[in-house]
Amino acid sequence: MRLHTLRITAFGPFGATQEIDFDALSAAGLFLLHGPTGAGKTSVLDAVCYALYGAVPGARQSPGTSLRSDHAPVDLPTEVLLDLTVGGRRLEITRRPAQPRPKKRGGGHTTEKAQSWLREYDSEEGWRALSKSHQEIGEEITQLVGMSREQFCQVVLLPQGDFARFLRADAEARGRLLGRLFDTRRFAAVEERLADLRRTAEAQVKAGDDQVLALAQRIAQAAGAAARECALPDVQPGDPGLADAVLGWAATARSGARERLDIAAQVLATAEHRHAGARRALDDERELAVLQERYAETRRRADAVEAGRTAHEEARERLARARKADLVAPALDLREEAERAYRRASEARGRARARLPETLADAGAEQLATLEHRLREELGGLESARRAEQRSAEIDDERAALERQARADEELVRDTEGWLAGWETTRRDLQGRLDAALEAATRTELLARRLDPARRRLDAARRRDALAVEVTAAEQRLADARQQALGTQERWLDLRERRLRDIAAELAGQLADGAPCAVCGAQDHPAPARPSDGHVDRATEEAAERTHREAVQAREEAERTVVLVGERHATAGAEAAGSDDAAGTAPTVAALAALVDTFAGEHAEAYRTAAGAHAAREALAAAEREQRRRSEERQRAEQRAAARTSRRESLDGERASLDEVLDRARGGYAGVAEHAAVLQRRIALLVEAAGAVREEESAADRLKEADDRLADAAFRAGFETPEAAAATLLDDAGQRTLQHRIDAWQAEAAAVADRLAETAAREAVARPPAAPDTAREAFDRAERALREAAAGLDAARERCAELGRLSRRVADEVRGLGPVREEYERVARLAGLTAGTSADNARKMRLESYVLAARLEQVAAAATARLQRMSSGRYQLVHSDARTGGRRAGLGLHVIDAWTGRERDTATLSGGETFFASLALALGLADVVTDEAGGVRLDTLFIDEGFGSLDDQTLDEVLDVLDSLRERDRSVGIVSHVADLRRRIPAQLEVVKERHGSAVRLRAGADGLSD
């Protein structure tokens, strides 16, 4: 992958468009990216990462971080364009993040969505578009580069301090980084999958053992006494001999159950024999008791029959007479019905005559009918008069409606004239409201343009005051750090001097008899030096040196903090001052807050007034519509008044002609309807009276005829008078009751005669009284014994059947559990081996750690090739399989010092040694990851900071190693503050920090400087 051109617009600290020609920089092989703190050196690398992956590295991609430059004009969009060659293809990637932009209509801002474009260069067609999809572009770039964003940031943008931490990290932290770079999640997934399979198989084996034990418990319950004689074996789930122990115990339980089944069968046979004898004795006693009781009951029934003989004869006589009276019953019913009808007709005629005049009290039916006919003719003559009266009432209603309409129209005309009188004033007021609202809208826009800058100045002033406090605190911390650095330096130099004075004693401590002296070579040591009081050893000196270096680093950090906070304070002060203030003035927060409040109040008032523009316009339109409506209503009211006058005259003429007809038809009554109602009531009375007279005459004729028929029927039935026949009558229920009594006595008499003739009952009376209760008690005892014996036999049979069924289930479970147990043992061995817990895994190393250890061994080998050159052949990196206290083994990293021949921890390296060792490690890791990613060429690398800890000789050696990367056609960009590098590296990219945003300057060689 080779970078050609990077164009940055309104990105990070860059307020305008900046273009970087990487082809010119890469021509030298090694180039320097430098500039003051906060200028934007790291932002250049962020722009490269953002163009490729749509995101910036690490923590700078936090949700609250904006990529847009605060120095950029409002109308200049944030954009990053990268021209590169990767996988043999020339591509151009353009990305714009989500960012605010001014609305096209109205005020305020709207958020524009993120956009991406991908183009490819073709030698024949030129640039052609490939995609605008974020997802498609991301997948295409990731496939071509062969690395994820995390791998790219770790391999191509060698991050500041990350590899020093990686060099000194423990196995856990080192394993997490390697796992992300080499994507060993699949091996961790294999471990987890095998662990899951082991847990699943273990659960299946335990479930099978639990099922076997549960069946054994059920066998124990089913066996009862047999199980108590042979106790359940003491085994637990997972025991190897569980199946054999349960199967043997079940066989013993079945044998005992079969013995008890034979005993129960013998007991049942004896109980059945005794039960049969008791049943025969009970039946004999019961039969004797029944015969004796039957004879006694027959005697009692015979006495009762004889006592009811007289009542039986009387009932027979009464039933015969009642059946004769039934012949007279129809005539009696007919006579009673005729008498009731006559009484009803007489009462109805009396009521009708009471409502007639005295002159008609004795009138016959014909006379009443004649009078009714005459009144109906008079009623028919009133029909036309009733219609005339109804029309007269309608005319009254219509005239009343006309009067109501007239009053309503008069009120409408008065109200309309009053409203129209004030129309011009109302129209002028509403038009004034609309004009004021439109003017306020214009004033709102002007105030909004003044309010936003004032608010930004107020925010800047607040930041300025807060940063002033931070500046004072940072300066104080810097003074303290300087004092601390001086103190630690004096202590370190003092300890170094004291150690040098006593260095002979330190060398003497390493002498051994027979071993040559490292200074003079002698093997005899007659008078080795002795340490003096206050002897300083090497560890104490190195600890003081580390403390001094830490103090120096703290001082440098404090200096950078002072510069950074000072620049932020100056920037905030300049922004707070604005362009309208006089030079040298520094407006206070209170003054700016008052100015903002003034603008905000005026803007709010103008906005409220402008918000009424729509309502004022609607009110004016509504008032105009109301004026047109009221004018039209007044005109329609005048037209309706003229029509009502004509209608009144027509109604008055029709009313006069109707009054003449009605005066004649009323006949002295208040109205025609009242006269007609009187006639209708009289007609109804006459009709009712005539009908009552005719009904009474007809009922009298029917009563006389019924008396004659009743007397004739009683004589033929043999009764002297109809009254005697009526007294003898019985209804159907009474006759059935008598017949039932007669039949019951006769049946009882016949039954008693038959039973008295039985010989068995008379013979049973001669025998001693029966004792069925005693026989019953003996039978109950025999029956209980039989039931108990049968129940015992059934229980024994069920126990044997249940034991056989459960034993077969146990055998089936044991057979089915065999393959499951074998599978569990196989999976458990594999899971233990990959998890590092198995005895077969001698190093106790997990599968993922094993793969990472192999990768780390490759990285250490690749890094050693460069580390030996950087350290003049002194150091080489090796990996260690030893466990270092964490969970991971095989991820240790040690350094071999050729001067001492010893292997030691990387944490013992000095600051400069740590830097070039971590740099060599980073370059080695880049080579291994590149090979892992499919051999994608990485022609451009960036190294961020760390060169300040190297001495001149080591710096030359490190630069020689980096410069040697050109042998593989690579270019390396160094990001650093070190001033000496600007002398050593001709090709430079300088990032300049300015008030209106940073800018870049390209120095391609010793003389070529361009903006």
Side-chain angles (χ1 to χ4, degrees):
M1 181 186 73
R2 177 176 294 278
L3 307 182
H4 299 297
T5 305
L6 176 66
R7 190 170 68 218
I8 307 173
T9 303
F11 182 88
F14 303 102
T17 299
Q18 305 294 325
E19 186 166 337
I20 301 171
D21 186 357
F22 282 110
D23 286 335
L25 291 171
S26 301
L30 189 66
F31 62 91
L32 177 66
L33 177 60
H34 69 93
T37 300
K41 301 185 296 299
T42 305
S43 295
V44 174
L45 308 184
D46 290 348
V48 173
C49 183
Y50 180 73
L52 290 172
Y53 295 98
V56 297
R60 296 190 291 278
Q61 187 60 27
S62 59
T65 303
S66 174
L67 301 179
R68 180 167 175 78
S69 174
D70 295 335
H71 303 284
V74 176
D75 56 348
L76 182 63
T78 299
E79 181 178 281
V80 175
L81 183 147
L82 179 63
D83 179 6
L84 75 160
T85 297
V86 59
R89 299 168 62 186
R90 182 76 175 266
L91 301 177
E92 181 188 81
I93 309 171
T94 305
R95 292 190 186 270
R96 288 184 180 181
Q99 54 189 305
R101 63 165 177 80
K103 293 182 178 179
K104 296 181 180 179
R105 296 181 180 178
H109 293 75
T110 184
T111 300
E112 190 175 62
K113 295 183 178 179
Q115 303 178 62
S116 300
W117 297 272
L118 177 63
R119 298 198 303 169
E120 183 175 9
Y121 182 78
D122 187 280
S123 58
E124 297 179 357
E125 302 178 6
W127 290 103
R128 57 187 180 90
L130 294 182
S131 176
K132 293 184 179 180
S133 168
H134 299 297
Q135 182 177 359
E136 291 179 359
I137 296 174
E139 293 176 353
E140 182 75 12
I141 295 301
T142 301
Q143 183 176 1
L144 288 174
V145 177
M147 289 181 284
S148 65
R149 178 170 65 93
E150 291 76 10
Q151 290 175 316
F152 179 83
C153 295
Q154 201 75 37
V155 174
V156 179
L157 310 179
L158 304 182
Q160 176 176 315
D162 278 8
F163 280 93
R165 287 191 294 271
F166 177 76
L167 187 67
R168 295 173 174 173
D170 58 12
E172 288 293 331
R174 194 172 290 133
R176 286 194 295 271
L177 175 61
L178 293 175
R180 289 196 302 271
L181 292 178
F182 294 106
D183 192 16
T184 57
R185 291 173 295 180
R186 60 187 183 276
F187 300 104
V190 170
E191 296 177 24
E192 185 62 28
R193 177 58 178 164
L194 287 174
D196 290 341
L197 290 175
R198 180 186 60 78
R199 287 191 292 269
T200 302
E202 183 179 11
Q204 291 175 347
V205 170
K206 185 178 181 301
D209 288 346
D210 290 339
Q211 180 65 18
V212 171
L213 288 176
L215 290 172
Q217 293 291 343
R218 293 180 60 183
I219 290 173
Q221 295 174 359
R228 287 193 294 272
E229 294 174 1
C230 181
L232 183 67
D234 186 12
V235 289
Q236 299 297 328
D239 290 349
L242 183 144
D244 294 337
V246 172
L247 289 175
W249 174 81
T252 303
R254 289 199 306 274
S255 176
R258 284 193 292 270
E259 292 178 359
R260 283 164 177 75
L261 176 62
D262 296 338
I263 296 172
Q266 295 174 3
V267 172
L268 178 62
T270 302
E272 288 176 345
H273 178 72
R274 293 176 180 175
H275 180 267
R279 165 64 71 182
R280 288 191 296 271
L282 178 60
D283 291 343
D284 292 342
E285 289 297 320
R286 282 179 173 174
E287 184 178 0
L288 178 60
V290 168
L291 291 174
Q292 291 176 349
E293 178 62 26
R294 181 180 179 85
Y295 185 79
E297 182 186 359
T298 302
R299 294 305 309 169
R300 290 192 298 271
R301 289 172 61 184
D303 295 340
V305 167
E306 190 62 30
R309 186 179 296 275
T310 303
H312 169 67
E313 294 298 334
E314 293 177 355
R316 287 179 60 191
E317 179 64 24
R318 185 179 178 189
L319 179 60
R321 296 184 63 203
R323 287 174 175 171
K324 289 181 179 181
D326 286 344
L327 300 175
V328 187
L332 286 172
D333 294 339
L334 181 63
R335 200 270 176 191
E336 291 178 358
E337 178 60 30
E339 186 177 5
R340 285 194 296 272
Y342 177 75
R343 285 198 301 270
R344 287 195 301 271
S346 297
E347 291 173 357
R349 180 179 181 182
R351 288 193 300 271
R353 285 181 174 179
R355 289 194 295 271
L356 292 176
E358 294 181 359
T359 56
L360 298 177
D362 296 329
E366 294 298 331
Q367 184 181 358
L368 293 174
T370 300
L371 182 58
E372 174 197 352
H373 180 69
R374 184 172 60 81
L375 290 179
R376 287 186 183 278
E377 289 178 352
E378 184 179 355
L379 179 61
L382 294 178
E383 185 62 30
S384 60
R386 278 196 294 187
R387 288 194 297 271
E389 187 177 43
Q390 183 178 359
R391 175 57 186 160
S392 178
E394 292 175 355
I395 291 174
D396 291 341
D397 294 340
E398 189 172 353
R399 284 185 59 85
L402 291 174
E403 292 300 328
R404 287 194 300 273
Q405 293 175 5
R407 289 193 296 272
D409 286 346
E410 290 174 358
E411 183 177 356
L412 174 64
V413 169
R414 287 195 300 271
D415 180 64
T416 301
E417 290 177 349
W419 190 90
L420 292 175
W423 160 241
E424 290 299 328
T425 302
T426 302
R427 186 181 61 78
R428 285 195 299 272
D429 293 342
L430 293 175
Q431 186 64 46
R433 280 178 56 195
L434 178 59
D435 295 341
L438 296 176
E439 182 181 356
T442 303
R443 191 165 65 257
T444 300
E445 296 179 359
L446 296 175
L447 289 171
R449 287 197 291 270
R450 299 180 65 186
L451 179 59
D452 289 342
R455 284 175 173 167
R456 287 195 295 271
R457 291 179 61 194
L458 175 59
D459 293 340
R462 288 170 176 164
R463 292 198 306 273
R464 177 200 64 198
D465 294 350
L467 289 170
V469 177
E470 293 186 15
V471 167
T472 302
E475 291 174 349
Q476 181 61 41
R477 288 194 296 271
L478 176 59
D480 295 342
R482 286 172 176 170
Q483 186 66 31
Q484 180 68 19
L486 289 175
T488 56
Q489 184 179 19
E490 292 175 358
R491 173 171 172 75
W492 171 48
L493 294 176
D494 178 63
L495 292 174
R496 183 179 181 85
E497 182 179 358
R498 289 164 58 188
R499 179 178 174 233
L500 292 175
R501 285 199 304 266
D502 213 9
I503 194 65
E506 183 176 336
L507 293 173
Q510 301 176 359
L511 296 177
D513 293 337
C517 175
V519 178
C520 64
Q523 296 183 354
D524 296 331
H525 315 296
R530 295 288 183 266
S532 61
D533 295 339
H535 171 68
V536 177
D537 57 10
R538 181 178 180 179
T540 303
E541 180 194 350
E542 291 179 350
E545 183 183 3
R546 286 196 299 272
T547 303
H548 171 59
R549 286 200 302 270
E550 292 172 356
V552 171
Q553 292 176 355
R555 183 196 64 196
E556 293 174 352
E557 180 64 27
E559 291 173 350
R560 288 194 293 271
T561 302
V562 168
V563 173
L564 178 61
V565 175
E567 291 175 351
R568 292 169 59 193
H569 178 262
T571 302
E575 187 176 351
S579 60
D580 298 335
D581 293 311
T585 60
T588 62
V589 173
L592 290 175
L595 181 63
V596 169
D597 292 341
T598 301
F599 285 161
E602 293 177 357
H603 178 270
E605 181 63 28
Y607 182 81
R608 284 194 296 271
T609 305
H614 179 72
R617 188 180 290 107
E618 291 294 325
L620 177 59
E624 291 175 346
R625 290 194 298 272
E626 180 67 12
Q627 187 268 341
R628 290 193 296 270
R629 183 184 67 78
R630 287 179 177 268
S631 298
E632 293 172 357
E633 286 184 349
R634 180 176 63 179
Q635 183 178 1
R636 288 194 295 271
E638 292 173 352
Q639 294 172 354
R640 288 195 297 272
R644 281 194 299 273
T645 301
S646 175
R647 181 59 178 165
R648 284 195 193 96
E649 294 176 354
S650 174
L651 293 175
D652 290 343
E654 185 179 1
R655 176 67 178 273
S657 61
L658 290 174
D659 288 343
E660 295 178 0
V661 175
L662 292 175
D663 290 340
R664 291 192 301 270
R666 290 190 182 101
Y669 293 98
V672 176
E674 182 180 352
H675 188 189
V678 170
L679 291 177
Q680 288 174 349
R681 288 196 298 273
R682 289 178 179 176
I683 292 171
L685 290 175
L686 291 173
V687 170
E688 181 183 3
V693 169
R694 285 192 291 269
E695 182 63 27
E696 182 185 24
E697 292 174 352
S698 175
D701 294 339
R702 289 195 299 273
L703 178 60
K704 183 177 182 303
E705 182 180 358
D707 287 340
D708 294 341
R709 293 179 63 183
L710 176 58
D712 184 60
F715 177 76
R716 286 197 300 270
F719 293 97
E720 295 180 356
T721 62
E723 290 76 10
T728 310
L729 279 174
L730 283 177
D731 57 8
D732 292 340
Q735 292 185 18
R736 284 195 300 272
T737 301
L738 287 176
Q739 186 63 51
H740 289 163
R741 284 157 62 189
I742 294 169
D743 294 342
W745 187 90
Q746 291 176 348
E748 180 68 10
V752 168
D754 291 340
R755 291 179 63 175
L756 287 175
E758 295 176 355
T759 58
R762 288 198 301 271
E763 293 175 355
V765 173
R767 296 173 60 185
D773 294 338
T774 303
R776 179 65 186 181
E777 292 176 358
F779 173 75
D780 290 342
R781 287 193 298 271
E783 190 170 28
R784 282 195 299 271
L786 177 61
R787 283 198 301 269
E788 292 172 357
L793 180 61
D794 292 340
R797 286 173 179 168
E798 291 177 0
R799 183 178 296 110
C800 288
E802 181 68 9
L803 288 175
R805 185 179 65 83
L806 292 175
S807 297
R808 289 190 295 275
R809 285 190 58 185
V810 168
D812 293 341
E813 289 290 338
V814 170
R815 282 193 298 273
L817 191 58
V820 176
R821 194 181 300 277
E822 293 175 0
E823 176 69 13
Y824 163 67
E825 293 173 355
R826 183 178 64 84
V827 171
R829 285 196 301 272
L830 286 175
L833 187 64
T834 57
T837 59
S838 172
D840 297 333
N841 191 333
R843 298 185 182 275
K844 303 300 181 184
M845 187 184 299
R846 292 171 47 206
L847 176 62
E848 183 184 15
S849 298
Y850 177 78
V851 175
L852 293 177
R855 292 286 186 260
L856 183 59
E857 187 174 5
Q858 296 174 353
V859 171
T864 296
R866 295 185 176 89
L867 179 59
Q868 286 180 326
R869 291 185 59 186
M870 293 180 185
S871 62
S872 300
R874 180 178 178 182
Y875 296 116
Q876 60 177 327
L877 288 172
V878 294
H879 93 286
S880 173
D881 291 335
R883 184 180 293 272
T884 58
R887 294 189 302 110
R888 293 182 185 263
L891 296 181
L893 194 62
H894 291 172
V895 62
I896 298 178
D897 190 346
W899 290 5
T900 63
R902 294 182 179 179
E903 180 177 329
R904 54 192 174 96
D905 193 272
T906 55
T908 62
L909 295 173
S910 65
E913 293 170 342
T914 299
F915 169 70
F916 64 67
S918 62
L919 178 59
L921 184 65
L923 295 174
L925 184 62
D927 291 340
V928 175
V929 172
T930 301
D931 295 339
E932 177 72 14
V936 177
R937 290 179 54 83
L938 300 178
D939 300 314
T940 306
L941 299 178
F942 294 92
I943 303 173
D944 192 359
E945 284 296 352
F947 292 88
S949 60
L950 304 179
D951 55 47
D952 291 343
Q953 180 180 354
T954 306
L955 181 60
D956 288 338
E957 293 172 348
V958 170
L959 292 179
D960 288 343
V961 171
L962 295 178
D963 192 52
S964 69
L965 294 175
R966 287 185 296 176
E967 298 172 1
R968 299 180 63 181
D969 197 20
R970 282 186 175 178
S971 61
V972 179
I974 298 176
V975 183
S976 179
H977 294 87
V978 178
D980 194 34
L981 289 176
R982 293 198 289 273
R983 178 180 57 81
R984 296 170 182 262
I985 303 176
Q988 299 176 14
L989 178 66
E990 182 182 6
V991 182
V992 182
K993 182 167 59 177
E994 299 176 349
R995 174 181 294 275
H996 301 295
S998 299
V1000 297
R1001 295 177 181 175
L1002 176 66
R1003 185 188 300 273
D1007 300 324
L1009 180 66
S1010 60
D1011 290 341

